[in-house]
Amino acid sequence: MKTQMKNPMKIQVKPHPPASFLNSVAAGLLALCPLGLPAQEKTVATAPAPIESFEIVPGYPRNGLEYQARAEVGVNSVYYGLKYPQPWTAVISGTAVQGAEFEVMNRQSTELPARGTMSGRYLVAAGNNGILRFDRQAADRNTQPAAILATSGQHPFFSAAGIASSSDLIAIGDRIYWGEVDGSRIQVWSHPAELGGFSVLHAQTTYSGPAAGYIKRFKQFSATESLALTQSGALYVFRHDDLFTDLTGPTAMTLLATGVTGFDSREETYSQGGFPFNGIAVYFTVGHTLQADSPPATVQRRRQTNLGGWTTAATLFSTGVGISGHYDS
């Protein structure tokens, strides 16, 4: 669950069930603060700089909390504690206990690109010179040079579009996935989290119009498929499970919507041809801008069909003012 925060320097949790369709948020907070605890705020993590985003990481017997914080120091922008875990235990009939901080990373942003992604002991990021990997458990983690997993994807028949700096990354199994974008193509590649191995071109599509920029966000929703949102607001579905595309070629990417600012997905049971069907529903916001006179915005939904396709978009809510996409979970 990812939540973005503009300026706070601390994270507080209060066990009050939120009234929103993002039920995963409530589930995550209840996992941290079971029923029976006093309804009071508790600071569970602090940082010496504004916290940009945080994520609850489920685990047994403890849940973890990873966050990113950034501050301007002179002419240099410095990252503090890039998404490091802050474990704490919620005991039945007891109180939530704050854990000790560990594996803190504090580096200049010129050394470590934004949008870092945790993958076990490593922090990975898409830089100008490739997919960078930092060992957050190393004694010299604040000064060690980055290991380069891949400078760009390699495929015998398809040229790489080129790694876009600030592309989101996602860890699925033991592989790291990233996006490569140019003026007409969008690609999804992966590489093992360990050095060596080979890159795989999983999916590719072409587009026209405004530049796609880079992959702004990935999200896996099944064992075989994931979602990808470009900087320009195009939301795609793609297959991430095929490791043999050197022989078969990359799969196509399905465009679900354009003008998207935020999205989420969940498994639902709904009717297909008069019979109940358990499938994936994708919710997304369209029409938001950051200007004060933001155009009308909508919350829409598309559902996966029993044949693997997608229903047409259904508008669930419309407003005369913009809807922020900063609630992604």
Side-chain angles (χ1 to χ4, degrees):
M1 179 190 71
K2 291 185 179 179
T3 303
Q4 295 188 349
M5 305 183 71
K6 292 287 185 180
N7 296 311
M9 297 175 67
K10 63 182 179 180
I11 298 173
Q12 295 182 323
V13 174
K14 186 174 182 180
H16 183 279
S20 86
F21 73 87
L22 301 177
N23 295 329
S24 59
V25 176
L29 294 180
L30 288 176
L32 292 172
C33 297
L35 296 177
L37 294 182
Q40 61 184 9
E41 293 181 350
K42 188 172 189 67
T43 299
V44 296
T46 59
I51 295 173
E52 293 184 330
S53 65
F54 69 91
E55 183 172 0
I56 295 172
V57 183
Y60 180 84
R62 298 183 301 180
N63 291 298
L65 189 65
E66 296 180 342
Y67 66 85
Q68 296 190 46
R70 183 203 298 265
E72 294 291 334
V73 181
V75 296
N76 293 321
S77 179
V78 179
Y79 256 137
Y80 293 97
L82 279 167
K83 292 188 77 175
Y84 66 86
Q86 173 77 33
W88 55 298
T89 305
V91 182
I92 300 298
S93 302
T95 58
V97 180
Q98 181 176 342
E101 298 178 349
F102 65 100
E103 297 172 2
V104 180
M105 295 188 69
N106 182 351
R107 304 178 66 120
Q108 290 188 353
S109 65
T110 53
E111 300 175 326
L112 212 162
R115 303 184 66 84
T117 298
M118 304 306 290
S119 175
R121 65 181 289 182
Y122 301 116
L123 177 121
V124 292
N128 291 329
N129 56 338
I131 302 301
L132 310 179
R133 191 194 74 176
F134 299 84
D135 187 346
R136 64 189 180 118
Q137 295 180 358
D140 61 344
R141 56 184 170 269
N142 291 331
T143 58
Q144 65 174 210
I148 299 179
L149 288 181
T151 55
S152 187
Q154 295 182 349
H155 190 282
F157 307 112
F158 296 90
S159 62
I163 291 176
S165 179
S166 296
S167 171
D168 190 24
L169 296 97
I170 185 173
I172 303 178
D174 62 351
R175 302 187 70 86
I176 304 298
Y177 291 71
W178 71 91
E180 299 194 19
V181 178
D182 62 16
S184 61
R185 295 176 300 164
I186 300 171
Q187 300 172 331
V188 178
W189 296 81
S190 77
H191 188 280
E194 298 298 331
L195 298 177
F198 57 94
S199 299
V200 172
L201 175 57
H202 295 272
Q204 176 176 268
T205 190
T206 58
Y207 73 96
S208 60
Y214 55 85
I215 300 297
K216 181 179 178 181
R217 183 185 171 211
F218 284 114
K219 182 182 181 182
Q220 178 186 3
F221 66 81
S222 74
T224 61
E225 292 182 292
S226 295
L227 295 159
L229 176 65
T230 68
Q231 183 192 28
S232 63
L235 181 60
Y236 291 93
V237 176
F238 68 92
R239 291 276 302 270
H240 64 251
D241 60 324
D242 191 351
L243 299 180
F244 302 99
T245 59
D246 281 4
L247 301 176
T248 61
T251 59
M253 301 174 68
T254 301
L255 180 63
L256 289 186
T258 58
V260 175
T261 58
F263 73 91
D264 199 3
S265 64
R266 68 178 183 181
E267 190 172 314
E268 296 180 347
T269 300
Y270 41 89
S271 176
Q272 286 281 306
F275 297 93
F277 173 72
N278 195 43
I280 298 297
V282 177
Y283 295 82
F284 50 93
T285 52
V286 173
H288 171 69
T289 66
L290 298 179
Q291 285 72 31
D293 57 347
S294 179
T298 59
V299 177
Q300 301 181 33
R301 178 190 64 208
R302 295 191 68 173
R303 285 170 164 169
Q304 199 171 36
T305 68
N306 53 4
L307 299 178
W310 295 85
T311 62
T312 57
T315 298
L316 306 179
F317 179 75
S318 180
T319 178
V321 296
I323 298 176
S324 172
H326 293 297
Y327 56 76
D328 297 346
S329 74

